[in-house]
Amino acid sequence: AASNFIAAKQFAFEALVVGRQKLEDFDQSFLDALQVSRSGLAEDNYEIAFRAISAALALKPKHPDAVELKLQVDALPAQLDLIEKASIARNENNLRLERDALSKLIALAPSRTLQGARLVAVEQELKEAEFAVLIDQSDTALSDKDIKRAKKRLEKAEKTFKGRRVTANLRDRITN
């Protein structure tokens, strides 16, 4: 009876060790899947991110980190579509379309700093272009002796960029 007890105790101990190892393997599989999904997401690789987060959720369907990551993975295709639209617009030198795509992208994913910086640059370029058009229109109106229109365009230009020398020079020409 004592030998049966010792054998049973040894069996229980081994089962405990195996069980713990299985739990550790299970947890490690979950963590590995989360990491692969995060890497796929960081690389804008939807396929890898999706497969890995699906595997993680199969292991632990209600784990908050996995559920949150799944939301991010699900949002990736829309982001990639907007990145592509912005890229096409940039290649076509269409600043307005590029700005629109980048604005939507940043609204969806504010952490995209590269595209956020590009959005700031595009908005500045558009502002500069608008300013140049207003100055040109004001100058043309002045040449046509349309002082009222020249002043209106100049005022809009001054609202766009205050204190620029070109606006001061144009104002001097209009008032003289």
Side-chain angles (χ1 to χ4, degrees):
S3 67
N4 284 345
F5 176 74
I6 292 172
K9 188 176 173 185
Q10 181 64 30
F11 179 78
F13 177 75
E14 289 173 5
L16 182 64
V17 169
V18 169
R20 283 186 182 149
Q21 185 60 49
K22 295 278 184 193
L23 283 174
E24 286 177 15
D25 291 347
F26 179 85
D27 286 341
Q28 191 59 52
S29 293
F30 172 75
L31 292 174
D32 290 347
L34 274 184
Q35 185 55 43
V36 169
S37 184
R38 285 184 181 116
S39 294
L41 192 62
E43 296 168 7
D44 288 336
N45 188 324
Y46 176 74
E47 294 301 321
I48 288 174
F50 178 77
R51 281 191 214 119
I53 196 58
S54 296
L57 285 168
L59 296 170
K60 295 186 179 184
K62 297 190 190 270
H63 193 282
D65 291 346
V67 171
E68 174 62 30
L69 191 56
K70 174 74 165 107
L71 293 173
Q72 294 173 28
V73 170
D74 287 347
L76 188 57
Q79 293 173 30
L80 295 176
D81 183 53
L82 290 168
I83 290 170
E84 182 179 0
K85 286 179 181 177
S87 178
I88 290 169
R90 184 175 188 177
N91 290 338
E92 294 174 351
N93 200 25
N94 188 333
L95 293 175
R96 284 181 180 19
L97 282 179
E98 185 180 3
R99 178 198 55 206
D100 293 347
L102 290 172
S103 294
K104 290 176 184 173
L105 175 63
I106 298 305
L108 284 177
S111 63
R112 289 190 172 270
T113 55
L114 180 66
Q115 289 84 5
R118 177 64 187 159
L119 176 58
V120 169
V122 167
E123 287 174 336
Q124 183 64 27
E125 286 182 54
L126 286 169
K127 200 172 175 184
E128 291 284 353
E130 178 187 354
F131 178 78
V133 166
L134 290 168
I135 292 297
D136 187 52
Q137 289 173 345
S138 181
D139 192 45
T140 300
L142 184 60
S143 297
D144 295 343
K145 309 264 188 259
D146 186 348
I147 303 300
K148 185 177 179 180
R149 195 171 109 223
K151 282 183 180 180
K152 279 187 174 185
R153 297 293 185 246
L154 176 61
E155 287 169 0
K156 280 187 174 182
E158 288 172 330
K159 286 179 184 174
T160 303
F161 290 113
K162 294 179 176 27
R164 289 220 172 159
R165 181 177 299 202
V166 68
T167 57
N169 291 344
L170 192 53
R171 180 155 303 284
D172 288 344
R173 288 179 45 219
I174 290 171
T175 56
N176 292 335

